[in-house]
Amino acid sequence: MDSNTSYDMVAFTAPSGAGKTTIVHHLLKKYSEYFSFSISATTRGKRDNEVDGVDYFFMSNDEFQTNIEENSFIEWEEVYDDRFYGTLRSEVDRVVLEGKKVVFDIEINGAQNLKKTYDERCLVIYVKPPDFQTLVKRLINRKSESPQTLEDRIKRIKKELLFEHSFDMVLLNDNLEETLAKAEEIIETYVLPKD
Ligand code: 5GP
C-alpha cells in the first residue's frame, strides 16, 4: 500500500453487525471538512433512529425500479429478499461537486462493484468482526430485526465472513475505541491530503 496515494473515495464493507456504520459515522463527524456520505437508496423500512434523506433515501419498490430503469444507480443489490439497496450517481456527483471525498457504507457485492468501477480511486476497507457469535449477539442486541429478517441476516453473515481478503485493507473491530483509532490512522495516512 502506497501511503502517498490520495483516494477520492473510501468504502467500508463488512458482514451485517460488524460495526461499520458506527465507524463511518465517527469518521464523517471527525473529518467533516473532507468527507461527505453517499446516501444510498433502500426499500427496507426506516428504523426509529433514522432520518429519510440523511441515513438513506427510503423508497417504495416501484420508485426503486424506476431508478433502475433510469440508470440512476452506480450499483444496486437485492441484499435481502425483496429489500433493495443502491448507490445513486446523483449522490457521488453531489459529493464530488462539494469538493469532498465520498464515503460509502456498503455490503460485499456492492463494494466489489465499486472497486470495479472506481478501481484505484476508491479505498475499500473490510471491517472484520471478532467472531461469528459476537456478530449474532450484536444483531440481537440492536433489536432492529424481526425473527425473519434476523434469520436472513445470519444466513448472509456466514457468506460475507469469507471475503476478508478480497479488499484493500482489513480493520478488525474487536474493541471499538481501538478500532476507531486505527480507522483514523488509516484515513490520515492514506486518504487525507498531505500538506
Ligand atoms: P442496513 O439495512 O443494516 O442499513 O444495511 C444492510 C446492508 O446493506 C449493509 O451491509 C449496508 O452496508 C448495505 N448497503 C447500504 N447501502 C448500500 C448500497 O447503496 N448498495 C449496496 N450494495 N449495499 C448497501
Side-chain angles (χ1 to χ4, degrees):
M1 185 72 51
D2 173 4
S3 67
N4 291 317
T5 309
S6 199
Y7 295 95
D8 300 328
M9 305 173 183
V10 191
F12 286 85
T13 192
S16 184
K20 68 179 176 309
T21 306
T22 309
I23 298 167
V24 165
H25 283 166
H26 172 81
L27 295 174
L28 283 167
K29 198 164 157 203
K30 170 136 189 153
Y31 302 111
S32 58
E33 198 187 328
Y34 299 105
F35 285 164
S36 193
F37 185 51
S38 164
I39 304 165
S40 293
T42 184
T43 64
R44 82 144 159 80
K46 190 171 84 59
R47 296 178 189 145
D48 287 346
N49 61 339
E50 291 177 325
V51 177
D52 189 19
V54 174
D55 298 286
Y56 282 105
F57 293 106
F58 294 95
M59 290 185 180
S60 65
N61 279 17
D62 282 352
E63 273 178 281
F64 201 96
Q65 282 306 322
T66 306
N67 276 291
I68 294 175
E69 282 154 26
E70 290 176 348
N71 194 25
S72 308
F73 292 119
I74 291 164
E75 61 75 40
W76 62 269
E77 292 289 326
E78 184 175 7
V79 178
Y80 306 106
D81 271 355
D82 218 26
R83 273 165 292 157
F84 294 81
Y85 296 75
T87 304
L88 291 157
R89 284 179 206 288
S90 53
E91 277 299 288
V92 173
D93 293 348
R94 171 184 63 78
V95 176
V96 170
L97 274 174
E98 281 174 25
K100 291 188 177 177
K101 293 179 191 281
V102 193
V103 177
F104 302 95
D105 176 331
I106 193 164
E107 53 67 63
I108 305 282
N109 295 333
Q112 287 181 315
N113 286 329
L114 282 185
K115 198 69 196 171
K116 271 187 219 142
T117 305
Y118 294 113
D119 195 22
E120 293 295 302
R121 289 179 66 194
C122 186
L123 175 69
V124 183
I125 301 170
Y126 178 94
V127 180
K128 179 182 159 77
D131 58 67
F132 178 70
Q133 292 310 331
T134 311
L135 261 190
V136 173
K137 249 191 255 160
R138 278 186 199 164
L139 258 183
I140 293 172
N141 289 341
R142 197 163 80 182
K143 296 194 173 75
S144 57
E145 306 307 317
S146 68
Q148 179 59 51
T149 64
L150 186 66
E151 199 184 311
D152 291 349
R153 281 180 190 256
I154 290 171
K155 257 193 235 150
R156 196 177 171 96
I157 285 170
K158 287 187 182 155
K159 286 190 208 143
E160 292 186 329
L161 284 169
L162 305 172
F163 285 85
E164 176 181 342
H165 299 295
S166 308
F167 298 100
D168 299 316
M169 282 188 186
V170 177
L171 174 62
L172 173 67
N173 186 14
D174 195 349
N175 167 297
L176 183 61
E177 219 170 292
E178 285 170 22
T179 307
L180 295 180
K182 270 186 282 168
E184 288 176 14
E185 196 184 317
I186 293 173
I187 295 302
E188 286 174 21
T189 308
Y190 297 107
V191 184
L192 295 190
K194 311 270 178 302
D195 7 75

